[in-house]
Amino acid sequence: MPVPETITPDGLTLTARPTTVSLDDGSSLHAWTFRNSLPGPTLRARSGDRVRVVLENGLGEETIVHWHGLDVPQLADGHPRLAVESGESYAYDFSIRSRAGTYWYHPHPHGRTGPQAYMGLAGFFIVDDPENDSLGLPSGAREIPLVFQDKRLDGAGQLVYAPSGFDLMEGYLGNVPFVNGAPFPYQVVNRDLYRFRVLNGSNARIFDLALSDGSPLVLVGTDGGLLESARTLDSIFLGPAERVDVLVDFSGKEPGDRIVLRSREFQISGGMGMGMGSSSGQGQAMDLMEFVVRDSEVGQGSMPVSLASLPPAPPQAGAPVQEFRFSSHMMSHLINGRSFGMERVDHRLALGDTEIWRFINESPMPHPVHMHAGQFRVLSRNGGRGQVFPWEAGLKDTVLLLPFESVDVLVRFEEYRGLYLLHCHNLEHEDAGMMLNFEIV
Ligand code: C2O
Ligand code: CU
Ligand code: CU
């Protein structure tokens, strides 16, 4: 399995361009990449560090980069109104106000985020801080980022992005699992404890992650960093753009053991795609990658008992409720009955105010809802699954709504005023306009 190079995002040129990358089996893949890397290089810095990146647009169309999950000034946030044409560049300069966590970056031009991310433009942005350092979690070769993406390949083994009307409705699903830019790879591991930073980087696919031998996934963090304590889980249900930080203990395995990390089959009630006879349907079981246990000493890594302290949650009492209704019918994907307006402000709130945002899914299909400019707390879920899951604890910037669910989240913006986005992170829905501007004043 490839692991992208880790680089410091200070004084960095990030060129987006079409590239041919070589895969391990000797074949080559035409992709769109940052710095010729599929996925993009892992950017890694510390809370408080300055980020100076120049995006160079070497694509044949406009683009702009967004730092997903980081709270940055509006001109550094990658709003589509800031997109630059082919041959132009855009300079980012901000400091990291966010706590340690697994963030990521990807393009955000209006109407073209889906194809650009699908063709390979996405990478991790990992933030460290003293609290994370102090926990002694696995690091170095035992800390591995994993981005899961589903792809469709043509007869020559090349990426295909050609959504049909049905795909534009459901989102673009593929039937070939890619992990860190390679199809169904394997990773050799020692008999030790590992930390995996997992990103669902798919356009539309939901994964129900589990290990084939029944080994647990120990959840230590979510979108916005570490939890207060670890949770031992059999499976994790992850929508597009969501992240989890998990520990897996291979110390009890035998040399030569092979363990598959897979997405289990699941049903979405009320969901689209039932009976469509599609081999790439949402909820289909999919083996993603394999771990091969090497003949090695049993490691000394131990499971942490307590983890990080979360920042205090904003006070809920008296917080006004703001409703955002997500609807999909015919070929339109709307929020509160409207499609994205580049300059239109759909909601305003003051810096420092607390609100409850109620995301209401009025459609028979999933919507992973994502908010820019910081992190929220998931308070409750009504309808559908009717509960908040362990992987929705802590700080979150994306929450998955299955058909007809409604989710309340607690929001408060603390850093910057300006124009930011709320949207569905099913990228075909986003590109179709399931997105709005809110302004922090
Ligand atoms: Cu990862 Cu506005 O998105
Ligand atoms: Cu974002
Ligand atoms: Cu959606």
Side-chain angles (χ1 to χ4, degrees):
M1 185 187 70
V3 175
E5 175 196 16
T6 298
I7 52 182
T8 304
D10 190 7
L12 182 73
T13 301
L14 205 55
T15 304
R17 65 179 192 95
T19 318
T20 302
V21 294
S22 353
L23 297 179
D24 241 26
D25 63 4
S27 66
S28 52
L29 189 70
H30 305 301
W32 295 0
T33 61
F34 291 115
R35 290 176 72 96
N36 303 321
S37 169
L38 182 71
T42 296
L43 309 184
R44 190 153 189 164
R46 301 183 63 78
S47 293
D49 280 0
R50 189 154 169 199
V51 173
R52 277 168 291 205
V53 174
V54 175
L55 166 69
E56 284 184 351
N57 183 0
L59 305 174
E61 59 185 59
E62 65 166 21
T63 196
I64 191 73
V65 165
H66 166 61
W67 317 101
H68 182 126
L70 295 179
D71 191 1
V72 301
Q74 58 169 341
L75 294 180
D77 197 48
H79 190 283
R81 76 190 189 287
L82 306 172
V84 294
E85 296 300 325
S86 176
E88 295 183 344
S89 56
Y90 192 89
Y92 295 86
D93 186 347
F94 59 93
S95 62
I96 301 176
R97 306 277 179 97
S98 306
R99 67 201 285 262
T102 307
Y103 307 99
W104 62 299
Y105 63 99
H106 61 77
H108 222 299
H110 188 44
R112 294 292 294 167
T113 296
Q116 291 188 10
Y118 178 89
M119 289 306 292
L121 293 167
F124 283 93
F125 195 129
I126 294 177
V127 175
D128 295 306
D129 66 11
E131 189 175 47
N132 176 71
D133 297 348
S134 72
L135 295 171
L137 294 169
S139 62
R142 290 189 295 117
E143 178 189 8
I144 303 178
L146 302 174
V147 51
F148 299 129
Q149 296 166 313
D150 55 326
K151 303 291 184 192
R152 275 185 217 176
L153 302 179
D154 65 14
Q158 297 302 322
L159 299 172
V160 180
Y161 188 82
S164 64
F166 177 77
D167 297 328
L168 291 175
M169 202 57 197
E170 191 181 12
Y172 199 69
L173 298 170
N175 54 359
V176 182
F178 269 59
V179 185
N180 292 355
F184 189 69
Y186 69 91
Q187 172 68 39
V188 176
V189 292
N190 288 336
R191 301 166 72 194
D192 207 338
L193 186 67
Y194 279 75
R195 179 181 192 181
F196 297 109
R197 295 175 178 267
V198 174
L199 161 64
N200 180 344
S202 301
N203 283 31
R205 184 172 292 282
I206 299 164
F207 296 111
D208 188 18
L209 302 172
L211 291 164
S212 58
D213 68 345
S215 295
L217 299 165
V218 179
L219 178 77
V220 295
T222 56
D223 297 349
L226 292 166
L227 299 172
E228 289 173 311
S229 54
R231 292 287 305 268
T232 300
L233 304 171
D234 291 329
S235 64
I236 295 177
F237 199 71
L238 208 63
E242 290 189 289
R243 286 89 69 205
V244 283
D245 201 340
V246 295
L247 305 183
V248 176
D249 190 359
F250 297 103
S251 64
K253 308 297 170 202
E254 295 303 321
D257 278 358
R258 302 177 83 94
I259 300 153
V260 174
L261 178 56
R262 62 171 47 127
S263 180
R264 307 187 302 184
E265 184 178 354
F266 59 89
Q267 301 285 324
I268 290 178
S269 51
M272 297 282 294
M274 299 299 166
M276 296 298 290
S278 161
S279 64
S280 60
Q282 188 74 277
Q284 176 206 5
M286 186 181 268
D287 286 356
L288 301 173
M289 65 173 296
E290 202 170 24
F291 296 106
V292 180
V293 181
R294 173 192 282 140
D295 192 357
S296 61
E297 299 282 294
V298 173
Q300 300 305 312
S302 62
M303 288 287 178
V305 178
S306 73
L307 296 165
S309 51
L310 291 175
Q316 250 183 83
V321 176
Q322 178 68 32
E323 289 186 351
F324 298 98
R325 298 176 172 273
F326 293 76
S327 64
S328 294
H329 34 80
M330 304 309 285
M331 278 300 144
S332 68
H333 300 285
L334 308 172
I335 308 176
N336 290 342
R338 307 180 92 171
S339 186
F340 182 58
M342 188 70 88
E343 309 288 340
R344 190 184 71 229
V345 178
D346 293 291
H347 181 55
R348 271 194 186 81
L349 79 168
L351 190 71
D353 277 6
T354 303
E355 292 191 345
I356 292 169
W357 287 9
R358 180 164 296 155
F359 304 138
I360 301 167
N361 184 356
E362 296 182 327
S363 77
M365 63 181 71
H367 298 291
V369 177
H370 169 54
M371 181 193 83
H372 287 216
Q375 302 281 326
F376 51 69
R377 309 289 179 119
V378 181
L379 297 175
S380 59
R381 174 180 279 104
N382 289 294
R385 294 168 293 162
Q387 58 175 303
V388 176
F389 295 92
W391 50 87
E392 298 175 320
L395 302 188
K396 291 282 292 171
D397 55 57
T398 307
V399 66
L400 180 63
L401 274 76
L402 289 189
F404 306 110
E405 290 183 351
S406 123
V407 170
D408 281 8
V409 305
L410 191 61
V411 307
R412 183 170 68 183
F413 301 97
E414 331 230 10
E415 297 290 349
Y416 301 106
R417 296 185 168 81
L419 196 66
Y420 293 95
L421 298 164
L422 175 75
H423 61 89
C424 180
H425 221 290
N426 175 313
L427 298 183
E428 284 66 42
H429 295 178
E430 173 184 343
D431 282 346
M434 193 174 246
M435 178 155 77
L436 59 74
N437 285 312
F438 64 91
E439 189 180 13
I440 305 167
V441 295

